[in-house]
Amino acid sequence: MKHILEIAKYPLILFIFSIFSFEISAQEGFSVDVNSGCSPLIVHFTYTAGGNPSNLSWNFGNGNSLNGNPSVDPILLNPSISYINSGSYTVTLTATTASGTTTYTSTNLITVFEDPS
């Protein structure tokens, strides 16, 4: 009972932990090798969610997207994308596996700075 009362003293900490846990899991579907730099920035994405996807749909936030079956087009598992214009970009990946469809979104994941030259 003492431990329950101690936890109840800190509801804000539990709330903050819940928010950050959600943010972390929302980005678990893919990783990047770099997320900021000067233009042109080439970013290598890697699908990390597992589950042998039958369809992957990428939206890279810069007008480029990829969609298809990775067993037919393996580049969908590890695409490389160029970002030319400065700004911040949100990346979304929708993966379909035998378990269902999951969408992973990472807001303002990529930041491109103007070329200083």
Side-chain angles (χ1 to χ4, degrees), residues 65-85:
S65 61
L66 289 173
N67 184 34
N69 185 334
S71 64
V72 175
D73 188 3
I75 196 70
L76 289 162
L77 295 170
N78 301 294
S80 295
I81 300 298
S82 295
Y83 290 85
I84 305 301
N85 298 322

Side-chain angles (χ1 to χ4, degrees), residues 37-84:
C38 292
S39 174
L41 180 66
I42 298 173
V43 180
H44 304 280
F45 293 84
T46 302
Y47 172 75
T48 60
N52 194 22
S54 60
N55 190 71
L56 292 177
S57 180
W58 293 90
N59 182 326
F60 300 102
N62 64 349
N64 291 320
S65 61
L66 289 173
N67 184 34
N69 185 334
S71 64
V72 175
D73 188 3
I75 196 70
L76 289 162
L77 295 170
N78 301 294
S80 295
I81 300 298
S82 295
Y83 290 85
I84 305 301

Side-chain angles (χ1 to χ4, degrees), residues 4 16 51 56-57 77 94 106 111:
I4 294 172
I16 291 171
L56 292 177
S57 180
L77 295 170
T94 300
S106 190
T111 301

Side-chain angles (χ1 to χ4, degrees), residues 25-43:
S25 65
Q27 298 176 26
E28 287 181 353
F30 62 92
S31 63
V32 296
D33 67 333
V34 62
N35 67 345
S36 65
C38 292
S39 174
L41 180 66
I42 298 173
V43 180

Side-chain angles (χ1 to χ4, degrees), residues 14-31:
L14 292 175
F15 175 73
I16 291 171
F17 177 75
S18 296
I19 291 172
F20 287 114
S21 293
F22 175 75
E23 287 295 317
I24 292 169
S25 65
Q27 298 176 26
E28 287 181 353
F30 62 92
S31 63

